[in-house]
Amino acid sequence: MDRGWGFLIGLLGAVWLLSSGHREQQPPETAAQRCFCQVSGYLDDCTCDVETIDRFNNYRLFPRLQKLLESDYFRYYKVNLKRPCPFWNDISQCGRRDCAVKPCQSDEVPDGIKSASYKYSEEANNLIEECEQAERLGAVDESLSEETQKAVLQWTKHDDSSDNFCEADDIQSPDAEYVDLLLNPERYTGYKGPDAWKIWNVIYEENCFKPQAIKRPLNPLASGQGKISENTFYSWLEGLCVEKRAFYRLISGLHASINVHLSARYLLQETWLEKKWGHNITEFQQRFDGILTEGEGPRRLKNLYFLYLIELRALSKVLPFFERPDFQLFTGNKIQDEENKMLLLEILHEIKSFPLHFDENSFFAGDKKEAHKLKEDFRLHFRNISRIMDCVGCFKCRLWGKLQTQGLGTALKILFSEKLIANMPESGPSYEFHLTRQEIVSLFNAFGRISTSVKELENFRNLLQSIH
């Protein structure tokens, strides 16, 4: 009897479920799925997909790139962290120990790098060394050969030209110092709150071609007035021309990449004996989880991949510059310099082989006069962002902000110099296109940061899946 009633109740329950259209409830979406399920497949404005980038970066490129960046040529970066903020005076300095930057002592930097602070080949370094000791670079030493004098003047003129996307430091300034990037890694320093958000607020609100009436969502500095929904905000963004849309996505991608680094190298524990740094899953979720960020987190991650493709494309374009026989990664250690150049070329050829490069031909392809104005606006907005880095109150954040904006600016300079690169002589000085050591170091380290971010996304994905 009991079994009969049980069967009848079960049968009636099944009939009710079917008749009511009720379906079995699906398990709730995990945090890992929320963060990453929307970051798959093809990217907007690109023919490439996320999975292809992950495989290429994490298993073919990342290990070799990290080895290159650990070499002497790329680990020492000359920077002026004492430049005043050009936009406001009420800048508050971060007093935390982790915000400090330890510059190199004079004897810690290889002599070849110190003498090569401006140029990159041994021959050019030896010839120009006396010139660089002059009060200003333009004061050319008459003892140099006529050809070298001409090269110096051409290089100086080009560095000050309208082709550059960054306002670079004056590395001849007494305030400019060498910093060992390996000893001053980018990681969470505790610099946050209104001072930090003020930097990003100025970047997004005043430099990303955005109407002032539209407030960026999730901005703690934005008042409730005029703030619109996330969907409306991105509807406006999608209505932009491809160049302005790309500009916003580059800045958003850079912001996302920095947030990935801070979440991956977070101060988890501190004792009087040691500090423990590692992955902070909660911090990562607060910045990228689809629900916690009201849908914006996955967009940020997609923009990070977009930035990766832009910098990857620039590196593929600049290969001929580094292939020239007279180019050296000069540090004074001949054997190491040759090995590093071989590794550099291996990496660039690997990048060249990437099957789904970003196609920049759609940029500035309209009316010639309008395209020229748009390119100039693009350049000036980015130069302005590079100047904002001098307003960052945390010196370690300022260091990495300046390096990464200069690196991205160098990548943009390369993308807009395709004809100049194609017309370079096979040997000897290139008057129309060249890269200073500062630009080379920042270019590869900036891409190294983006490459690290893509790798860290895989690490966070695995960590999130392991706890759910």
Side-chain angles (χ1 to χ4, degrees):
M1 178 68 70
D2 291 340
R3 291 180 62 187
W5 277 109
F7 174 77
L8 180 60
I9 292 172
L11 181 61
L12 291 172
V15 171
W16 176 82
L17 287 174
L18 290 172
S19 63
S20 65
H22 181 82
R23 285 182 172 82
E24 183 180 355
Q25 186 175 3
Q26 296 297 318
E29 191 177 44
T30 67
Q33 291 171 326
R34 289 202 304 268
C35 284
F36 298 105
C37 67
Q38 298 180 50
V39 190
S40 61
Y42 286 95
L43 297 168
D44 298 335
D45 297 323
C46 302
T47 59
C48 187
D49 61 272
V50 167
E51 291 79 8
T52 299
I53 296 174
D54 284 343
R55 288 192 299 270
F56 177 78
N57 178 76
N58 297 349
Y59 302 105
R60 294 173 59 182
L61 198 58
F62 178 79
R64 281 184 286 181
L65 183 59
Q66 294 306 302
K67 181 180 178 181
L68 181 72
L69 296 180
E70 291 171 0
S71 67
D72 284 351
Y73 186 90
F74 289 98
R75 69 184 291 181
Y76 295 106
Y77 179 64
K78 197 170 188 182
V79 62
N80 182 359
L81 297 176
K82 299 177 182 178
R83 289 179 59 171
C85 172
F87 299 107
W88 57 83
N89 296 321
D90 60 333
I91 178 172
S92 58
Q93 303 293 347
C94 174
R96 298 174 61 91
R97 286 183 300 171
D98 292 326
C99 286
V101 171
K102 182 182 178 181
C104 297
Q105 299 297 318
S106 179
D107 59 351
E108 294 176 334
V109 183
D111 291 336
I113 289 179
K114 287 186 289 187
S115 66
S117 60
Y118 188 74
K119 298 299 173 280
Y120 39 77
S121 73
E122 183 174 10
E123 180 181 4
N125 292 334
N126 292 336
L127 290 172
I128 300 172
E129 185 175 5
E130 292 183 38
C131 168
E132 290 184 333
Q133 295 173 356
E135 184 175 352
R136 54 191 293 270
L137 188 62
V140 181
D141 191 330
E142 294 181 356
S143 65
L144 299 176
S145 68
E146 182 177 349
E147 181 182 5
T148 303
Q149 289 183 41
K150 183 179 179 182
V152 173
L153 292 174
Q154 290 280 0
W155 279 328
T156 307
K157 180 180 178 181
H158 188 276
D159 286 342
D160 295 332
S161 73
S162 61
D163 291 333
N164 287 345
F165 283 76
C166 282
E167 185 173 300
D169 284 344
D170 176 12
I171 61 173
Q172 306 303 324
S173 167
D175 290 331
E177 298 178 290
Y178 281 100
V179 173
D180 187 337
L181 298 174
L182 298 184
L183 297 182
N184 294 273
E186 183 183 25
R187 59 191 178 192
Y188 183 78
T189 65
Y191 177 66
K192 58 183 179 180
D195 290 334
W197 261 104
K198 186 175 183 178
I199 301 296
W200 288 110
N201 185 65
V202 172
I203 289 175
Y204 283 115
E205 298 295 325
E206 300 180 15
N207 293 280
C208 284
F209 302 101
K210 184 183 68 59
Q212 291 296 315
I214 298 179
K215 297 297 181 184
R216 184 173 174 270
L218 307 180
N219 186 341
L221 294 186
S223 63
Q225 293 182 340
K227 188 173 181 180
I228 60 176
S229 71
E230 180 254 353
N231 288 332
T232 305
F233 177 82
Y234 284 103
S235 296
W236 157 80
L237 183 62
E238 290 165 4
L240 286 178
C241 65
V242 65
E243 294 87 356
K244 291 182 179 180
R245 188 164 64 243
F247 189 95
Y248 176 87
R249 297 187 68 193
L250 289 175
I251 301 306
S252 174
L254 178 60
H255 193 183
S257 179
I258 291 173
N259 283 334
V260 171
H261 304 155
L262 303 187
S263 302
R265 301 195 71 167
Y266 199 92
L267 182 57
L268 301 177
Q269 184 178 356
E270 182 176 9
T271 66
W272 67 279
L273 283 176
E274 63 177 353
K275 294 181 178 181
K276 181 181 178 182
W277 304 84
H279 295 81
N280 187 323
I281 297 176
T282 301
E283 187 75 19
F284 180 83
Q285 288 175 301
Q286 289 175 347
R287 297 173 187 269
F288 298 107
D289 182 272
I291 291 179
L292 297 179
T293 61
E294 299 181 15
E296 193 177 357
R299 291 181 185 269
R300 295 169 182 168
L301 294 179
K302 282 192 173 184
N303 291 339
L304 187 157
Y305 281 100
F306 180 80
L307 173 62
Y308 181 95
L309 288 176
I310 292 291
E311 296 200 7
L312 191 77
R313 181 60 166 169
L315 289 170
S316 73
K317 291 280 188 179
V318 80
L319 174 60
F321 175 83
F322 293 106
E323 281 186 315
R324 294 180 306 149
D326 58 342
F327 174 82
Q328 298 180 56
L329 297 174
F330 183 69
T331 66
N333 185 329
K334 187 173 183 180
I335 295 177
Q336 186 183 77
D337 292 346
E338 291 176 353
E339 291 177 351
N340 286 335
K341 181 176 180 180
M342 289 178 59
L343 177 58
L344 173 71
L345 293 179
E346 286 179 12
I347 291 171
L348 291 177
H349 279 286
E350 186 73 59
I351 290 173
K352 191 79 172 179
S353 71
F354 183 69
L356 296 171
H357 273 294
F358 179 81
D359 182 7
E360 75 284 1
N361 290 327
S362 60
F363 279 11
F364 311 105
D367 176 77
K368 189 173 182 180
K369 184 176 180 180
E370 183 179 345
H372 177 77
K373 182 183 182 304
L374 188 57
K375 179 181 176 182
E376 182 64 7
D377 288 344
F378 200 97
R379 187 185 67 84
L380 291 177
H381 277 248
F382 196 86
R383 281 180 71 94
N384 210 38
I385 291 174
S386 73
R387 297 175 69 205
I388 293 173
M389 292 300 112
D390 286 316
C391 302
V392 177
C394 165
F395 284 110
K396 187 167 290 182
C397 306
R398 184 184 298 192
L399 162 66
W400 285 99
K402 288 167 77 75
L403 182 144
Q404 290 177 82
T405 51
Q406 185 181 22
L408 177 53
T410 303
L412 294 173
K413 168 182 170 179
I414 292 167
L415 288 177
F416 295 123
S417 302
E418 183 174 11
K419 292 182 179 179
L420 299 180
I421 295 173
N423 294 329
M424 284 189 310
E426 293 185 2
S427 62
S430 172
Y431 298 131
E432 296 299 325
F433 178 86
H434 86 285
L435 296 177
T436 66
R437 180 182 178 276
Q438 287 292 105
E439 289 175 312
I440 295 170
V441 173
S442 64
L443 173 68
F444 281 90
N445 272 284
F447 181 68
R449 295 281 74 208
I450 309 302
S451 173
T452 299
S453 294
V454 173
K455 178 63 175 176
E456 289 293 359
L457 290 183
E458 180 182 64
N459 295 334
F460 274 113
R461 183 183 294 111
N462 294 334
L463 286 170
L464 283 164
Q465 290 174 343
S466 68
I467 62 176
H468 290 283

